[in-house]
């Protein structure tokens, strides 16, 4: 049986936090450049120039793309034949987050309790961790730093089957138009359709981990992604101060649901759509 | 877009009143950073009749919580945070003489009313352009509430800090004006 020591996991996660915070993924960078070419608003062009230049400075100088280095979300795929030794996996991941945020000069933005004390944990832990057990003996880690300017603008709608495709489009557009200039557009829009209320929300997050140049494997959902992107770019929101580049992509993930339901969740990500990946 | 306007702080009311939504500006001088926690502490102090740590008259507030500075740098990445979260405190703060606010995102109607009354301008810095904006910050000094960490009240010496007037002192809102021509739904 293959084994991995938790120390290795801690070290990798620490590195992944810094990578995500400093280096904008290439697909997002290219989409911004493409947006700049087609943007019709002169003010929008100025904003996009700043955003593109910003990501170049961050990459060249190892600096956080944004001061909100987010809450850390981790998607794990643990091979069922893998043995993790040397300690507690969750603790090892959080130790990695603490190390990465401290060594990397990232902002610590997590409070231990949400309502009464709101005391900062001072090391950005705990991370939110989703674990899936899969066949094989590998450990796949996907990490994202999720800023809350955009997170606060997400939403969920429990539609009924009769609402259909039109209902889904309307639900997504309502959430986006309500978010407007606030989530630092151009946005990347994650949509989760189906499952239960919580599952739809999870799927909308998961959708943001996919490359923005990659469409859903199901042709109907792929077409819906394209259609929604076209509609969002007609809202006028643009890159914060109006224009035609409101979103860079719409990524949909879907799952089986109940005969009576059609949950739709939207997670909005800003242009600082940051993630890093490892297979150990 | 029209020419870029250069602003030096302090910002007088008559100069603030000349700015129009959509103007591109470069700000030089001292601006003060404060966000949620500092606003809460300051408005509570005012309610108790206490004096604030700085005289806000003719000053510019920047809604910011930066990343920690790397050794040798004055500041870390330092883009704007969502201004709307400060709306509940803003009218009280504007009565203290603040003439400019820098943040991102829309504002409440009560804030815009208070801006008109006090001759205040709301500037947007580009959300998420935090490493770029850091280039214009020469010095960062914590003035009060150091216990708030990145939320402390601090003075920033800035040179050519890039911003855009989003809401002017007449209440014109560029988020609205800028979107309209491209809204085709
Ligand atoms: S929404 Fe994104 S780009 Fe905007 S401040 Fe938050 S993390 Fe930064």
């Amino acid at each position: 049986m293959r084994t991995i020591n938790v120390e290795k996991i801690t070290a990798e996660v620490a590195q992944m936090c810094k990578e995500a915070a400093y280096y904008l993924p290439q697909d997002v960078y290219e989409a911004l450049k493409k947006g700049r070419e087609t943007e019709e608003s002169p003010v929008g062009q100025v904003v996009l120039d700043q955003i593109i230049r910003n990501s170049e400075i961050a990459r060249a100088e190892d600096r956080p793309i944004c001061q909100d280095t987010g809450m850390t979300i981790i998607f794990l795929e643990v091979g069922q034949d893998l043995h993790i030794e040397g300690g507690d996996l969750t603790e090892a991941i959080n130790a990695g987050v603490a190390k990465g945020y401290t060594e990397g000069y990232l902002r610590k933005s997590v409070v231990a309790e949400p309502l009464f004390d709101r005391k900062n944990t001072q090391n950005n832990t705990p991370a939110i961790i989703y674990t899936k057990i899969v066949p094989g003996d590998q450990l796949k880690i996907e990490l994202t730093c999720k800023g809350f300017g955009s997170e606060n603008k997400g939403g969920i709608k429990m539609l009924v089957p009769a609402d259909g495709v039109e209902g889904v489009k309307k639900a997504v557009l309502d959430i986006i138009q309500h978010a407007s200039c606030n989530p630092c557009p151009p946005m990347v829009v994650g949509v989760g359709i189906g499952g239960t209320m919580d599952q739809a929300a999870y799927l909308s997050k998961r959708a943001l981990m996919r490359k923005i140049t990659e469409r859903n494997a199901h042709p109907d959902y792929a077409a819906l992604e394209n259609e929604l992107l076209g509609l969002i770019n007609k809202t006028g929101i643009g890159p914060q101060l109006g224009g035609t580049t409101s979103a860079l992509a719409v990524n949909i993930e879907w799952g089986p649901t109940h005969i009576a339901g059609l949950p739709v969740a939207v997670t909005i990500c800003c242009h600082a759509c940051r993630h890093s990946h490892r297979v150990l | 877009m029209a020419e870029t306007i250069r602003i030096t702080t302090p910002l007088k009311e008559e100069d603030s009143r000349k700015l129009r939504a959509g103007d591109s500006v470069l700000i030089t001088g001292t601006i003060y950073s404060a966000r949620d926690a500092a606003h809460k502490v300051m408005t509570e102090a005012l309610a108790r009749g206490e004096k604030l740590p700085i005289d806000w008259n003719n000053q510019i507030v920047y809604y910011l919580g930066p990343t920690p500075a790397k050794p040798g740098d004055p500041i870390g990445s330092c883009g704007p945070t969502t201004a709307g979260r400060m709306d509940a405190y803003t009218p009280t703060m504007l009565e203290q003489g603040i003439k400019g606010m820098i943040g991102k995102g829309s504002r409440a109607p009560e804030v815009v009313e208070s801006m008109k009354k006090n001759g205040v301008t709301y500037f947007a810095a580009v959300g998420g352009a935090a490493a770029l904006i850091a280039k214009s910050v020469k010095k960062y000094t914590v003035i009060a509430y150091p216990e708030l960490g990145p939320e402390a009240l601090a003075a920033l010496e800035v040179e050519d800090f890039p911003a855009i007037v989003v809401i002017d002192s007449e209440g014109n809102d560029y988020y609205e004006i800028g979107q309209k021509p491209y809204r085709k739904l």
Side-chain angles (χ1 to χ4, degrees):
Chain A
M1 189 184 280
R2 202 172 158 246
T3 55
I4 297 184
N5 193 285
V6 286
E7 275 174 26
K8 167 94 178 139
I9 298 168
T10 298
E12 291 291 344
V13 168
Q15 193 53 35
M16 289 171 77
C17 293
K18 293 187 248 177
E19 258 175 51
Y22 302 159
Y23 314 136
L24 190 71
Q26 198 61 25
D27 54 329
V28 180
Y29 177 75
E30 269 152 29
L32 284 167
K33 289 215 132 179
K34 220 172 111 204
R36 172 62 180 83
E37 275 164 33
T38 55
E39 177 54 55
E40 290 172 27
S41 154
V43 180
Q45 292 171 1
V46 171
V47 173
L48 284 169
D49 281 339
Q50 282 197 32
I51 289 172
I52 291 166
R53 183 81 196 102
N54 181 70
S55 72
E56 291 167 350
I57 291 171
R59 178 175 286 277
E61 300 181 10
D62 283 359
R63 292 180 189 282
I65 297 163
C66 185
Q67 78 287 340
D68 182 359
T69 45
M71 194 162 187
T72 319
I73 306 175
I74 288 174
F75 297 91
L76 283 183
E77 281 183 19
V78 185
Q80 61 191 21
D81 298 327
L82 178 68
H83 179 224
I84 295 165
E85 61 167 23
D88 178 314
L89 174 62
T90 306
E91 272 173 24
I93 289 173
N94 282 322
V97 170
K99 187 169 167 357
Y101 274 69
T102 307
E103 284 177 359
Y105 297 94
L106 311 185
R107 200 181 75 189
K108 290 84 183 171
S109 315
V110 174
V111 297
E113 177 276 316
L115 188 55
F116 297 103
D117 272 352
R118 294 195 63 88
K119 209 166 146 22
N120 196 304
T121 61
Q122 304 293 354
N123 61 12
N124 223 54
T125 66
I128 292 177
I129 305 170
Y130 295 105
T131 310
K132 202 168 144 187
I133 307 292
V134 298
D137 62 2
Q138 291 184 320
L139 177 67
K140 189 171 165 198
I141 311 173
E142 293 175 273
L143 178 149
T144 180
C145 311
K146 187 66 179 71
F148 260 56
S150 52
E151 185 66 9
N152 280 345
K153 296 294 165 188
I156 197 153
K157 202 78 194 148
M158 299 303 286
L159 301 179
V160 295
D163 292 321
V165 180
E166 285 312 307
V168 170
K169 284 194 257 178
K170 184 173 179 306
V172 173
L173 273 178
D174 283 352
I175 291 167
I176 295 295
Q177 281 178 297
H178 179 254
S180 190
C181 58
N182 296 293
C184 292
M187 324 170 211
V188 177
V189 181
V191 182
I193 305 176
T196 48
M197 188 171 77
D198 52 312
Q199 177 77 4
Y202 164 80
L203 290 171
S204 73
K205 276 264 159 354
R206 195 80 193 84
L208 290 173
M209 301 306 290
R210 198 207 306 155
K211 270 204 167 70
I212 64 172
T213 42
E214 218 172 86
R215 301 280 48 87
N216 193 292
H218 188 304
D220 291 340
Y221 286 94
L224 185 57
E225 288 175 337
N226 287 331
E227 191 183 351
L228 279 169
L229 179 63
L231 290 169
I232 292 168
N233 284 335
K234 285 197 181 107
T235 56
I237 297 168
Q240 308 184 13
L241 291 156
T244 51
T245 321
S246 310
L248 302 175
V250 176
N251 283 4
I252 301 176
E253 292 293 330
W254 56 273
T257 190
H258 188 274
I259 47 172
L262 178 53
V264 181
V266 176
T267 295
I268 301 178
C269 191
C270 48
H271 62 81
C273 187
R274 297 159 286 186
H275 32 84
S276 49
H277 307 248
R278 287 285 191 288
V279 180
L280 303 180
Chain B
M1 254 173 87
E3 235 178 282
T4 304
I5 300 167
R6 288 181 181 272
I7 292 179
T8 34
T9 64
L11 177 64
K12 290 203 228 76
E13 180 172 342
E14 64 204 71
D15 294 326
S16 168
R17 287 206 185 266
K18 280 184 209 146
L19 296 168
R20 282 295 155 265
D23 284 350
S24 216
V25 301
L26 291 171
I27 303 168
T28 298
T30 305
I31 60 175
Y32 295 90
S33 71
R35 50 176 284 155
D36 311 51
H39 274 76
K40 185 163 184 281
V41 180
M42 285 191 288
T43 48
E44 282 169 2
L46 286 170
R48 288 192 301 267
E50 292 167 17
K51 259 189 76 175
L52 297 183
I54 59 163
D55 178 3
W56 281 101
N57 195 36
N58 294 345
Q59 298 304 339
I60 296 179
V61 62
Y62 182 21
Y63 303 133
L64 162 72
T67 58
K70 281 190 184 178
D73 289 344
I75 197 166
S77 293
C78 54
T81 194
T82 305
R85 289 198 320 272
M86 264 50 77
D87 282 353
Y89 312 110
T90 300
T92 311
M93 292 302 297
L94 297 190
E95 293 295 328
Q96 298 297 306
I98 289 176
K99 291 298 173 312
M101 304 176 274
I102 310 172
K104 66 172 180 100
S106 41
R107 307 304 301 262
E110 308 84 77
V111 171
V112 179
E113 279 317 305
S114 176
M115 287 172 62
K116 289 199 234 171
K117 179 179 159 223
N118 295 295
V120 180
T121 303
Y122 171 48
F123 304 92
V126 171
L132 175 80
I133 290 169
K135 298 274 175 210
S136 65
V137 180
K138 304 300 163 198
K139 205 170 157 199
Y140 176 84
T141 320
V142 173
I143 303 274
Y145 320 130
E147 67 281 6
L148 300 180
E151 296 208 46
L153 174 62
L156 280 76
E157 268 173 42
V158 297
E159 213 177 283
D160 291 343
F161 180 108
I164 295 163
V165 176
V166 246
I167 306 180
D168 62 31
S169 56
E170 285 182 1
N172 300 304
D173 185 343
Y174 203 80
Y175 284 127
E176 200 35 53
I177 303 166
Q179 286 192 13
K180 215 176 235 159
Y182 308 101
R183 194 176 297 147
K184 302 207 165 107
L185 275 185

